[in-house]
Amino acid sequence: MDRKDEHNTIDGIDSVETMDDMTFVLFGASGDLAKRKIYPALYNLFIEGKMPSSLSVVGLGRRKYSQEDFHSIIKESLESFSRRDVDSSHLDEFLESFRYFIFDAMEPQSYQDLKAFIEEREAEKSIPENRLFYLSVAPSLVEPITESLHKSGMTELDGWKKLIVEKPFGSDLHSARHLNQELTKVFDEEEIFRIDHYLGKPMVQNLESLIRPNPILKSLWNHEQIASVQITASETVGVGTRAGYYDKSGAIRDMVQNHLLQLVMMTALHHPEKLSAKQIEEKKTKIMEALRPIDKDDVATHVVRGQYEAGEMDAQAVVGYKDEKDVEETSNNDTYFAARLYIDNEYWKGIPFYIRTGKRMEKKSTRIIIEFKNEVQEADSQGAMSNLLIIEINPNESVGLRINLKDDGNEKFEPAYINFSKNLDQQPEAYENLLNDAMAGNSTYFAHWNEVELSWKWIQPILEAFEADELPLHGYNAGSRGPEAAEKLLNEDGFTWWEV
Amino acid sequence: MDRKDEHNTIDGIDSVETMDDMTFVLFGASGDLAKRKIYPALYNLFIEGKMPSSLSVVGLGRRKYSQEDFHSIIKESLESFSRRDVDSSHLDEFLESFRYFIFDAMEPQSYQDLKAFIEEREAEKSIPENRLFYLSVAPSLVEPITESLHKSGMTELDGWKKLIVEKPFGSDLHSARHLNQELTKVFDEEEIFRIDHYLGKPMVQNLESLIRPNPILKSLWNHEQIASVQITASETVGVGTRAGYYDKSGAIRDMVQNHLLQLVMMTALHHPEKLSAKQIEEKKTKIMEALRPIDKDDVATHVVRGQYEAGEMDAQAVVGYKDEKDVEETSNNDTYFAARLYIDNEYWKGIPFYIRTGKRMEKKSTRIIIEFKNEVQEADSQGAMSNLLIIEINPNESVGLRINLKDDGNEKFEPAYINFSKNLDQQPEAYENLLNDAMAGNSTYFAHWNEVELSWKWIQPILEAFEADELPLHGYNAGSRGPEAAEKLLNEDGFTWWEV
């Protein structure tokens, strides 16, 4: 069975292409993301035989590395970050594809030289003009690089071209639209792969097919029985060394507009029938269109913003956000965000989605909880709590249910957690899934423009309310469960955040 | 809150009485069951404050023990078999209730003397004439003891009387009816507590309330989605030292007529509403009435019997059944039994129940598996297996689901077991639950006469077919999964026994 057949029959994804021979042009080849994620992902795909038979990887950077330097950097990256141990016999074969090219993104001549270098390697390795450009660079460089690629003629090809871009995709609705306009002058929407690494996580990808092969989950996941949905992405870390970026973006741009709204879309998909990549994209767009707008005047009613104060993490005192390095003393930046959302479509009508994210929270956890209605007879109410379907995405990957069993004395009910955890060692990393899909041309698990635009559109009034300081900035102690106001947000509707 | 209120509000069982002061007369006080189960159960109930404030326990036996001997026997029993460590300060208070009485069940004078002894203790401890007679004796003694109790006047009381009897309750329909006639000359049905210790197991008791406080299990446990039910009670032990009894009874009497059919009833109860003890009893009777009879001619179609042959258990060679001590070389006794059952009521119509039990099987396990229909789209069929709800009763107590998740390569589905296990240390033993209930007068988890009679009635044609040797006796190797014919029984219907 060749790859194409395999994909068509196993995944049934109709937009999948075969893994063509290609050139993989990596901007930011000595950057942190390349070392931590991209090289390890490519290596593991290579070990699994998921790479094209002929591949040229060109790593670009300003530093004057030799080929040997570059290969050493990759080797170190794999030794530090690959989930598989590095096997020296395979490593040489893997590295053979990689060449370093000294590059200045603001220098037109660099693009001409790069073009010649790519073509030389294409000729050498008999690779057709299929070129994937991966922009692992500062946001400010994305537009100029794309424009220069175009001007250099490097994107005029006999084969195909693709562009991978990292977050952030703009910093508000206006800038995102502008960025997309510029990119689409050079690349079609189908050629642009916007990475949201949450979509690469195996348990998020399982969401798409969780119900379908599981009749029992299908019957359970019934909107007449669902009381609410909670999506949490809490971190224990503080702002760390990222204040320069983070103090301008806040949790709302760093986590909500992209990751949390993508998780809302993936959760709300609810598709009893198998969908193609295109249908999933359309359905996600429809969900965003049905997401009830929060007008500027309503922001304070539905949104809670917070900022961490001094506290304790693991019995260690930690400073508050305002005392972090490179954060202004007067910063009113949000490090915590919680909101109540409604999707006004037939399926989700009236079922609240609660989302929250924060830094310096008690626990590191990304999870989705479906809470079911608790229609238990009075005589049985002792101790019976509402049933939950718990999908943990990070740091563990698990699916669980909370049910009620009789307690040891057979007198009351007590909650029991029935749970399945994936063996993480064998799990592909998010970037493996995403790079494999991008190289194969499958855009299912990427952020499509419609989604991104609608996300910014939904976020925009909240952004403006934040910027106008129109709602309180609630302090919360580092190491806590976030501001009390976020608990009140749910209590108003008779709910509570489940810490499970 | 006094006990009565507690019971009425927490369990809502309407037939429950308060824990009256009483005399607990134990026939067989130096027997194996008393030592292994009854004393430890009474001790743990005592520690939990579940004993009457004034209690007289009279232990009866033929051996000439002193009170000190008897107290030593109880102490040793607790040290060996109590789930709680024995606390010497509590032990003395516990033992204070216990008196030994030398007794010959076939000797009328013994009953007169016992009567005087009981009355003396009643006077001493100001206990009203509430007497519970626990017959932990050979089956042949049950009738004569009951008759003699009556003749002695010991059951003519100002207070109440109760009778606890152990299995077997008869050896066929005729003998069971006869036994019951004799018992009911002395005790009313409401006064007779027939122990089936499977009904005392916490997870079996959970069956009664598994669905009610769990809306998600209620929606899942839907007969339109259930494909079949499997009930397994497999043992690893052989006949051991019990051949004298077992070679006459076989698996059919030892396990099927009582335990397996009780598990069928408890599984089939399916009651979205809370039921009283009386309603549960009525519903179980109705289930047995709806159990489709297997005529003698059909036995070979629906029933598989087997007998273990030599094999290996834990890498140790073990002998076949016919070579066991006290087993006749020509024995055609069944050590394995499997059958296909149908309950012809509206709910279970068309859903097969498969039951099996065996000695010298690969694994020790008592469990109920609900298998759901596997209506998965063709495109998703790769690796997707039918969903299961798995209720393990013994040796672990757990509730689990088998669902399908994407495999590590995100290409196929693979089964994932999501599971909750009870912490066994804190679980009451079956006998604690049962003795507590019998003392309190709650008959919910006992085998009522209607059920026993209907069970024997259903079993009778199969018994006769076995005795007439009308169906093959399949050999199976010790340590295996039983005879191939049992697998074929399910394969005929498109099913397989799940070993999970």
Side-chain angles (χ1 to χ4, degrees), chain A residues 73-136:
Chain A
I73 286 170
I74 296 170
K75 194 178 165 205
E76 276 166 35
S77 130
L78 301 183
E79 281 163 355
S80 302
F81 302 111
S82 167
R83 66 185 171 99
R84 282 195 178 85
D85 286 340
V86 180
D87 172 337
S88 58
S89 66
H90 289 123
L91 182 64
D92 290 343
E93 194 189 338
F94 174 69
L95 288 176
E96 197 283 316
S97 303
F98 287 73
R99 291 292 180 277
Y100 188 72
F101 188 82
I102 300 163
F103 185 80
D104 181 348
M106 303 314 285
E107 176 55 64
Q109 186 58 41
S110 263
Y111 291 86
Q112 290 307 323
D113 297 345
L114 174 61
K115 184 164 182 262
F117 186 79
I118 290 171
E119 284 167 357
E120 193 185 308
R121 284 286 280 169
E122 282 172 348
E124 201 181 315
K125 302 193 79 175
S126 306
I127 295 173
E129 285 184 343
N130 297 322
R131 296 174 189 168
L132 182 157
F133 300 95
Y134 191 144
L135 308 195
S136 175

Side-chain angles (χ1 to χ4, degrees), chain A residues 359-492:
Chain A
K359 286 194 182 295
R360 285 288 189 225
M361 300 276 283
E362 185 184 34
K363 265 187 235 161
K364 176 183 169 75
S365 174
T366 305
R367 62 176 183 274
I368 298 165
I369 294 181
I370 313 287
E371 177 167 349
F372 298 92
K373 288 178 185 165
N374 192 9
E375 288 165 350
V376 177
Q377 288 173 276
E378 195 54 41
D380 265 336
S381 63
Q382 281 79 5
M385 297 170 85
S386 53
N387 290 145
L388 306 177
L389 170 64
I390 303 158
I391 299 160
E392 190 174 3
I393 294 159
N394 193 40
N396 300 307
E397 294 172 11
S398 69
V399 177
L401 293 172
R402 186 176 76 181
I403 63 169
N404 297 294
L405 289 182
K406 284 187 179 170
D407 72 356
D408 295 328
N410 200 8
E411 286 173 352
K412 287 184 296 182
F413 292 106
E414 60 182 6
Y417 294 90
I418 68 176
N419 192 56
F420 166 76
S421 292
K422 278 264 189 184
N423 181 342
L424 294 183
D425 293 348
Q426 291 161 22
Q427 288 287 88
E429 291 243 354
Y431 271 85
E432 289 174 48
N433 291 332
L434 294 174
L435 290 188
N436 187 45
D437 285 350
M439 290 168 81
N442 174 6
S443 70
T444 310
Y445 299 113
F446 291 85
H448 311 99
W449 169 243
N450 284 339
E451 298 153 22
V452 175
E453 184 179 33
L454 288 163
S455 297
W456 277 120
K457 204 168 159 186
W458 185 85
I459 283 285
Q460 192 63 31
I462 307 175
L463 268 185
E464 288 168 15
F466 279 22
E467 272 155 26
D469 226 1
E470 281 175 5
L471 71 170
L473 180 69
H474 297 277
Y476 62 99
N477 292 331
S480 74
R481 293 179 175 180
E484 189 59 27
E487 185 60 31
K488 280 189 193 141
L489 184 74
L490 271 67
N491 294 166
E492 286 167 12

Side-chain angles (χ1 to χ4, degrees), chain B residues 455-475:
Chain B
S455 298
W456 277 120
K457 204 170 157 187
W458 185 85
I459 284 285
Q460 193 61 31
I462 307 174
L463 269 185
E464 287 168 16
F466 278 24
E467 271 154 27
D469 227 1
E470 281 175 4
L471 70 170
L473 180 70
H474 297 278

Side-chain angles (χ1 to χ4, degrees), chain A residues 22-25 130-134 160 162 164 438-439:
Chain A
M22 71 182 77
T23 301
F24 186 112
V25 188
N130 297 322
R131 296 174 189 168
L132 182 157
F133 300 95
Y134 191 144
W160 51 250
K162 287 173 193 159
I164 298 182
M439 290 168 81

Side-chain angles (χ1 to χ4, degrees), chain A residues 10 205 212 380 408 410 427, chain B residues 205 212 380 408 410 427:
Chain A
I10 292 185
Q205 301 199 345
R212 236 173 325 114
D380 265 336
D408 295 328
N410 200 8
Q427 288 287 88
Chain B
Q205 301 199 347
R212 238 173 325 114
D380 266 335
D408 295 328
N410 200 7
Q427 288 288 87

Side-chain angles (χ1 to χ4, degrees), chain A residues 11-271:
Chain A
D11 282 337
I13 294 168
D14 49 16
S15 68
V16 150
E17 298 164 87
T18 51
M19 193 66 87
D20 300 324
D21 293 341
M22 71 182 77
T23 301
F24 186 112
V25 188
L26 177 60
F27 294 77
S30 59
D32 206 46
L33 185 74
K35 289 179 197 166
R36 289 179 167 268
K37 298 295 179 186
I38 301 173
Y39 301 136
L42 292 174
Y43 178 74
N44 280 286
L45 290 171
F46 169 77
I47 293 296
E48 286 171 6
K50 291 179 174 172
M51 291 295 241
S53 50
S54 197
L55 172 71
S56 157
V57 182
V58 183
L60 310 183
R62 291 207 293 185
R63 297 188 197 175
K64 299 197 163 37
Y65 290 134
S66 68
Q67 296 308 332
E68 288 70 35
D69 293 338
F70 186 44
H71 284 191
S72 295
I73 286 170
I74 296 170
K75 194 178 165 205
E76 276 166 35
S77 130
L78 301 183
E79 281 163 355
S80 302
F81 302 111
S82 167
R83 66 185 171 99
R84 282 195 178 85
D85 286 340
V86 180
D87 172 337
S88 58
S89 66
H90 289 123
L91 182 64
D92 290 343
E93 194 189 338
F94 174 69
L95 288 176
E96 197 283 316
S97 303
F98 287 73
R99 291 292 180 277
Y100 188 72
F101 188 82
I102 300 163
F103 185 80
D104 181 348
M106 303 314 285
E107 176 55 64
Q109 186 58 41
S110 263
Y111 291 86
Q112 290 307 323
D113 297 345
L114 174 61
K115 184 164 182 262
F117 186 79
I118 290 171
E119 284 167 357
E120 193 185 308
R121 284 286 280 169
E122 282 172 348
E124 201 181 315
K125 302 193 79 175
S126 306
I127 295 173
E129 285 184 343
N130 297 322
R131 296 174 189 168
L132 182 157
F133 300 95
Y134 191 144
L135 308 195
S136 175
V137 294
S140 60
L141 289 176
V142 172
E143 267 184 54
I145 290 176
T146 308
E147 195 187 343
S148 302
L149 283 174
H150 177 61
K151 280 189 185 153
S152 72
M154 230 184 302
T155 54
E156 309 264 306
L157 305 169
D158 281 343
W160 51 250
K161 62 182 187 298
K162 287 173 193 159
L163 181 74
I164 298 182
V165 285
E166 286 283 341
K167 80 167 185 181
F169 200 89
S171 59
D172 58 14
L173 179 59
H174 176 79
S175 62
R177 278 178 173 161
H178 174 80
L179 174 60
N180 202 57
Q181 259 164 18
E182 294 306 305
L183 298 190
T184 50
K185 284 178 186 167
V186 185
F187 293 90
D188 292 340
E189 169 65 15
E190 291 67 36
E191 294 171 334
I192 302 174
F193 294 80
R194 293 173 203 82
I195 284 191
D196 185 316
H197 70 277
Y198 276 58
L199 291 177
K201 289 179 189 288
M203 203 47 83
V204 175
Q205 301 199 345
N206 252 311
L207 278 174
E208 184 264 325
S209 64
L210 193 59
I211 306 163
R212 236 173 325 114
N214 293 306
I216 60 173
L217 294 185
K218 206 188 285 182
S219 74
L220 175 163
W221 187 302
N222 174 336
H223 66 125
E224 287 178 14
Q225 294 191 92
I226 296 176
S228 73
V229 177
Q230 295 184 8
I231 301 178
T232 296
S234 59
E235 301 175 291
T236 52
V237 294
V239 68
T241 58
R242 295 170 68 223
Y245 151 76
Y246 191 81
D247 201 40
K248 287 186 192 69
S249 73
I252 189 170
R253 291 182 179 86
D254 190 48
M255 292 294 293
V256 183
Q257 177 271 330
N258 41 29
H259 306 317
L260 283 189
L261 289 181
Q262 283 292 342
L263 291 182
V264 167
M265 287 178 242
M266 290 304 290
T267 307
L269 263 179
H270 183 79
H271 41 290

